[in-house]
Amino acid sequence: MNDLPRPLTLRDFKIYKGYLSADEQHAILTDVRTIVRDVPLFQPQTPYGKPMSVQMTSAGKYGWYADRSGYSYRKAHPNGSNWPDIPDSILKIWQTVGPKHRQPECCLINYYSENAKMGLHQDRDEADFQWPVVSISLGDDALFRIGNQSRGGSTESIWLKSGDVVVMEGDARLTYHGVDRIRFGSSQLLHNGGRINLTLRVVE
Ligand SMILES: O=C(O)CCC(=O)C(=O)O
Ligand SMILES: [Mn+2]
């Protein structure tokens, strides 16, 4: 993670393949395990009453939250704890690929077990879309699908692997995206398999 490599771009998403070394991935994983001890993963309910297949928790000033009343950012985990600080191992990725003069206020941690997926959606619960969303993939490969700025139309997909970093900004910031499936057991990083996705976001 020294010189910033040239990203591949797909529909204005900047995709840094192989951005994180194995050591960096392990260091981040250690920090994520510490976070999850304080603020365990939980399975959010969508406003439509269906549980999401992804389990989540957060670090930072705000955590992303979904329940019957809708999607929101909250200052505490369902167990009442404040979210832990975003670790430096994760912040330094933002500092390299993101804006220097604004720090993220949320690191959403998504865990995908074998059959988890995430439907096409926009990230639009933040106050100001001028700031990017920076996404970090760890563990099993994920088939990431990119659509358009409104629902429908053609899509393109790319496999995201452990250590890949995606920056969604500019025209990509409000583009629909989702994860169709993971290739369970494709990475050795998580001993029990599965995938962790971290997204760094400016919330306010
Ligand atoms: O898991 C991913 O790669 C994408 C996650 C995502 O889009 C989100 O958390 O909003
Ligand atoms: Mn998203």
Side-chain angles (χ1 to χ4, degrees):
M1 204 171 76
N2 299 317
D3 291 338
L4 195 55
R6 232 177 115 83
L8 178 165
T9 52
L10 188 60
R11 299 199 174 188
D12 294 309
F13 285 61
K14 292 196 197 112
I15 302 170
Y16 295 92
K17 296 297 286 176
Y19 186 82
L20 297 169
S21 69
D23 283 353
E24 287 166 332
Q25 294 174 46
H26 280 106
I28 293 170
L29 189 58
T30 300
D31 287 338
V32 168
R33 289 204 171 105
T34 304
I35 292 169
V36 168
R37 270 204 297 274
D38 287 347
V39 286
L41 292 164
F42 58 94
Q43 198 157 17
Q45 296 281 320
T46 64
Y48 319 102
K50 253 185 74 180
M52 295 183 70
S53 61
V54 170
Q55 292 175 271
M56 297 180 178
T57 191
S58 293
K61 182 171 178 186
Y62 296 99
W64 189 83
Y65 206 89
D67 64 13
R68 295 302 286 264
S69 62
Y71 304 118
S72 57
Y73 282 100
R74 300 204 180 169
K75 287 193 168 169
H77 183 272
N79 73 9
S81 305
N82 289 329
W83 311 102
D85 289 342
I86 304 173
D88 287 341
S89 62
I90 299 173
L91 272 181
K92 75 177 190 195
I93 300 168
W94 175 280
Q95 281 148 5
T96 314
V97 301
K100 313 283 172 274
H101 50 290
R102 184 77 194 247
Q103 295 307 302
E105 294 146 351
C106 173
C107 175
L108 175 62
I109 299 168
N110 290 319
Y111 174 70
Y112 295 76
S113 56
E114 186 161 6
N115 295 309
K117 55 185 189 257
M118 191 178 287
L120 281 174
H121 65 278
Q122 294 171 299
D123 291 356
R124 54 176 320 137
D125 301 315
E126 302 75 30
D128 188 345
F129 303 132
Q130 76 164 293
W131 306 111
V133 171
V134 173
S135 153
I136 300 150
S137 292
L138 296 173
D140 288 339
D141 303 350
L143 188 57
F144 185 69
R145 186 191 289 264
I146 302 174
N148 304 288
Q149 292 186 356
S150 55
R151 220 172 240 301
S154 69
T155 63
E156 289 179 81
S157 297
I158 183 169
W159 283 97
L160 295 181
K161 290 180 171 285
S162 197
D164 292 352
V165 170
V166 180
V167 179
M168 304 179 230
E169 67 184 333
D171 285 342
R173 181 63 181 77
L174 288 174
T175 294
Y176 278 81
H177 58 277
V179 171
D180 287 347
R181 61 191 164 92
I182 70 166
R183 216 184 241 149
F184 191 74
S186 51
S187 159
Q188 302 306 306
L189 187 72
L190 307 183
H191 296 305
N192 296 323
R195 171 175 186 257
I196 293 172
N197 174 260
L198 308 171
T199 42
L200 293 166
R201 300 142 184 261
V202 171
V203 174
E204 291 176 349

